[in-house]
Amino acid sequence: MFAMQLKKPRTPLEWVELPDPEPGEGQIRVKVLACGVCRTDLHVVDGDLTHPALPVIPGHEIVGRIDAIGPGVTDLSIGERVGIPWLGHTCGHCLYCDEGKENLCDHPLFTGYTRNGGYATSAVADAHYTFPLGEAGDDVSLAPLLCAGLIGWRSLSHAGDGKKIGLYGFGAAAHIIAQVLRWQGREVYAFTSPGDVEKQAFARSLGAVWAGGSDEAPPELLDGAIIFAPVGSLVPAALKAIRKGRRVVCAGIHMSEIPAFSYDILWEEREIVSIANLTRQDGIDFLSLAPKIGIRVSTTPYPLREANKALDDLRHGRFDGAAVLVP
């Protein structure tokens, strides 16, 4: 197999040839068809996430077809198309697993971080942590749903059921969840980097009723806000933008330092919460709903060898929607 491998944080990924991995007990191996490029991958490569299992192959928005099955796997078959997400394994017996909060497991494995991921021609995954995808939809468009879509879905479930929802950072996750909000009959308020009129136009093309810079106040107070951009200064900005009794959801796995802010913008029962990982039920719920919504994923494909370019383009916001690697 071939892969783009991270050997040391803050260095470019390297093209390597490795032995084909063999699936173990309860595992499958897939031929990778597409792998989304997520901001979390950027945090792994840039060293913001500090405990990768180096050397590691990044990538956790994997679409592939099963070409080998390990012992004990009975509900998947050779040739089946599946998706492999960020959460790759949980212990099943810690306090959080016992409480049905497997996303907070004390002993998890994460695809593309603590186990090899999908910036490769082959990948191995635990069968219980994969999602059958069926045959509807193309591989490249499906890949971003496996993290950008899933984390957006979990974030939305924590944002409440208000009518007017603000989305801070209009990239892969926001452009998917904006379509979910419109399908639900809600209003989208999109916040981009100041002056990014192209992203603002992109948001409006997906039904946003308002789009502006993150340094602007919305035209009216919002019923909730989700912060996708890893920028801590957006937390007090979002608190100022929501009505009393509403919630700001921080959706990223990493965020820059949140600056001090006065208590009055938090008072009146406003809340700040973070989203960590996902559960398998999140995946089942969202992936079954996505075809009904008719989500249009904006993608920019890159050959696998150009993973470093894709990551740099993501870092500098050079495309709308999501980047996807194709072996």
Side-chain angles (χ1 to χ4, degrees), residues 46-319:
D46 288 350
D48 299 323
L49 301 182
T50 56
H51 300 290
L54 297 174
V56 68
I57 301 167
H60 57 274
E61 296 178 327
I62 306 168
V63 175
R65 287 198 184 273
I66 299 172
D67 65 1
I69 294 178
V73 179
T74 59
D75 55 348
L76 295 170
S77 57
I78 297 292
E80 188 170 357
R81 188 169 65 161
V82 297
I84 302 171
W86 169 251
L87 185 64
H89 176 81
T90 59
C91 70
H93 54 72
C94 70
L95 172 66
Y96 299 102
C97 286
D98 286 343
E99 291 180 346
K101 300 175 182 177
E102 64 181 4
N103 60 305
L104 301 178
C105 174
D106 282 332
H107 308 286
L109 290 174
F110 297 116
T111 310
Y113 179 47
T114 56
R115 71 187 316 172
N116 283 329
Y119 287 18
T121 55
S122 289
V124 165
D126 286 13
H128 289 311
Y129 294 82
T130 62
F131 300 114
L133 295 177
E135 296 302 321
D138 67 274
D139 305 323
V140 169
S141 296
L142 285 171
L145 299 182
L146 291 161
C147 185
L150 291 179
I151 208 70
W153 176 254
R154 186 170 181 84
S155 299
L156 184 58
S157 71
H158 283 67
D161 57 2
K163 179 80 170 178
K164 306 174 191 299
I165 303 296
L167 304 180
Y168 285 78
F170 207 83
H175 98 285
I176 292 171
I177 215 63
Q179 296 175 65
V180 176
L181 284 163
R182 295 298 300 129
W183 180 77
Q184 293 175 337
R186 300 202 256 176
E187 295 178 0
V188 175
Y189 293 73
F191 297 81
T192 71
S193 297
D196 193 342
V197 294
E198 291 183 1
K199 280 285 197 304
Q200 292 163 21
F202 180 49
R204 285 190 287 269
S205 76
L206 292 174
V209 300
W210 178 89
S214 59
D215 57 345
E216 300 178 52
E220 51 192 314
L221 290 177
L222 306 176
D223 299 317
I226 303 172
I227 301 177
F228 291 112
V231 181
S233 61
L234 294 178
V235 172
L239 282 171
K240 292 176 184 177
I242 62 171
R243 296 195 294 113
K244 54 190 175 183
R246 297 297 175 164
R247 179 178 290 172
V248 172
V249 179
C250 301
I253 194 171
H254 170 81
M255 181 177 277
S256 61
E257 185 171 339
I258 299 172
F261 55 86
S262 62
Y263 178 67
D264 61 295
I265 65 172
L266 179 64
W267 188 59
E268 295 178 312
E269 300 191 354
R270 294 175 180 86
E271 299 178 3
I272 307 168
V273 300
S274 69
I275 294 301
N277 314 314
L278 61 122
T279 67
R280 284 172 285 181
Q281 193 61 49
D282 292 328
I284 293 167
D285 293 344
F286 176 69
L287 292 172
S288 65
L289 187 63
K292 300 175 185 176
I293 298 173
I295 292 172
R296 295 181 292 113
V297 182
S298 177
T299 58
T300 301
Y302 294 77
L304 177 59
R305 278 184 177 266
E306 294 185 12
N308 288 311
K309 175 174 170 48
L311 287 165
D312 193 58
D313 287 350
L314 172 61
R315 182 183 287 108
H316 293 98
R318 297 188 182 114
F319 53 78

